[in-house]
Amino acid sequence: GAGVSQSPSNKVTEKGKDVELRCDPISGHTALYWYRQRLGQGLEFLIYFQGNSAPDKSGLPSDRFSAERTGESVSTLTIQRTQQEDSAVYLCASSSRLTSGGIYNEQFFGPGTRLTVL
Amino acid sequence: DAKTTQPTSMDCAEGRAANLPCNHSTISGNEYVYWYRQIHSQGPQYIIHGLKNNETNEMASLIITEDRKSSTLILPHATLRDTAVYYCIAFWGGATNKLIFGTGTLLAVQP
């Protein structure tokens, strides 16, 4: 079946504009994650969804960042009043329902959206 | 989650085994060791994970020391397509399973 898809693949915006990034997870995957990767850096966790709820938003860097998920499917990450430091690749991942005891279902990543703020 | 330490970069000849080390000296008893890799301009890809026993799958083998303070990912016959950044992550998942990535090891497979 299809993997995780993200759109757009590239986004160039001007400082101060709002942007929306979209993630389509693998069908049936209940867990969805957003990560950010700055140039030459590792991934930073942003937010986690289980179904349509976000029990962990601890990685969102400021109140300019928000995300929602609907229908236990598509998720949108919104960045308001973009700043140059927001420039990065934004990656989405999904996984099936967590099992107990820390046993883990692998996360499947999309190709990312490269955001450039001028 | 335990912090991991990896070399910044490594080279490997095509067709040879690539052995990528990872130190996780503060790992706790319920934390697993996971390996992901990220090929240029792609999202990370899961490779393998383990708790204390050695693990093998179609991609790689994972060797974890008896004291669990370090591990080695082995790609038995590296190809040019294995050139990527390899991330070692030690965690137990908790309530969210969020992954905490370091900067990883850039493995360059040479022809």
Side-chain angles (χ1 to χ4, degrees):
Chain A
V4 178
S5 61
Q6 293 185 246
S7 61
S9 55
N10 282 284
K11 176 71 176 178
V12 180
T13 190
E14 293 180 347
K15 178 181 174 181
K17 300 284 189 182
D18 298 351
V19 296
E20 285 190 352
L21 311 180
R22 177 186 170 109
C23 172
D24 286 85
I26 292 172
S27 178
H29 278 190
T30 56
L32 186 148
Y33 306 79
W34 283 98
Y35 295 87
R36 176 172 73 177
Q37 187 172 32
R38 291 192 166 116
L39 185 64
Q41 305 292 315
L43 278 72
E44 303 171 67
F45 167 79
L46 297 178
I47 188 169
Y48 155 73
F49 286 93
Q50 182 61 38
N52 294 331
S53 300
D56 189 345
K57 307 179 183 179
S58 62
L60 294 178
S62 74
D63 58 8
R64 296 187 296 105
F65 287 72
S66 64
E68 66 173 11
R69 188 180 185 196
T70 57
E72 298 197 355
S73 180
V74 173
S75 176
T76 302
L77 177 69
T78 301
I79 308 173
Q80 296 178 308
R81 305 182 301 281
T82 52
Q83 303 294 313
Q84 288 183 333
E85 62 262 28
D86 299 334
S87 296
V89 175
Y90 289 81
L91 289 152
C92 174
S94 70
S95 68
S96 57
R97 183 176 299 277
L98 301 180
T99 57
S100 62
I103 304 299
Y104 162 85
N105 292 317
E106 66 179 279
Q107 294 184 21
F108 295 84
F109 283 81
T113 293
R114 180 173 300 278
L115 174 65
T116 303
V117 182
L118 302 177
Chain B
D1 296 334
K3 180 179 177 179
T4 61
T5 305
Q6 299 177 253
T8 303
S9 64
M10 294 180 62
D11 288 344
C12 177
E14 188 177 19
R16 304 296 293 271
N19 297 281
L20 293 97
C22 180
N23 284 315
H24 31 80
S25 58
T26 61
I27 196 168
S28 61
N30 61 352
E31 289 181 312
Y32 286 69
V33 179
Y34 294 80
W35 285 83
Y36 274 73
R37 74 178 182 184
Q38 188 173 24
I39 295 170
H40 183 62
S41 297
Q42 297 183 21
Q45 176 192 23
Y46 166 85
I47 301 173
I48 198 168
H49 76 280
L51 183 62
K52 54 184 178 181
N53 297 321
N54 298 337
E55 302 288 344
T56 296
N57 63 20
E58 64 279 3
M59 290 183 68
S61 295
L62 174 61
I63 308 298
I64 303 173
T65 58
E66 190 170 347
D67 63 8
R68 302 207 329 117
K69 294 184 183 300
S70 66
S71 60
T72 301
L73 178 75
I74 302 172
L75 307 178
H77 305 287
T79 71
L80 298 179
R81 289 174 296 179
D82 291 323
T83 293
V85 177
Y86 287 76
Y87 297 99
C88 170
I89 303 165
F91 84 123
W92 73 281
T96 65
N97 258 6
K98 64 186 180 188
L99 295 171
I100 299 176
F101 288 78
T103 52
T105 296
L106 173 59
L107 175 68
V109 181
Q110 308 291 343

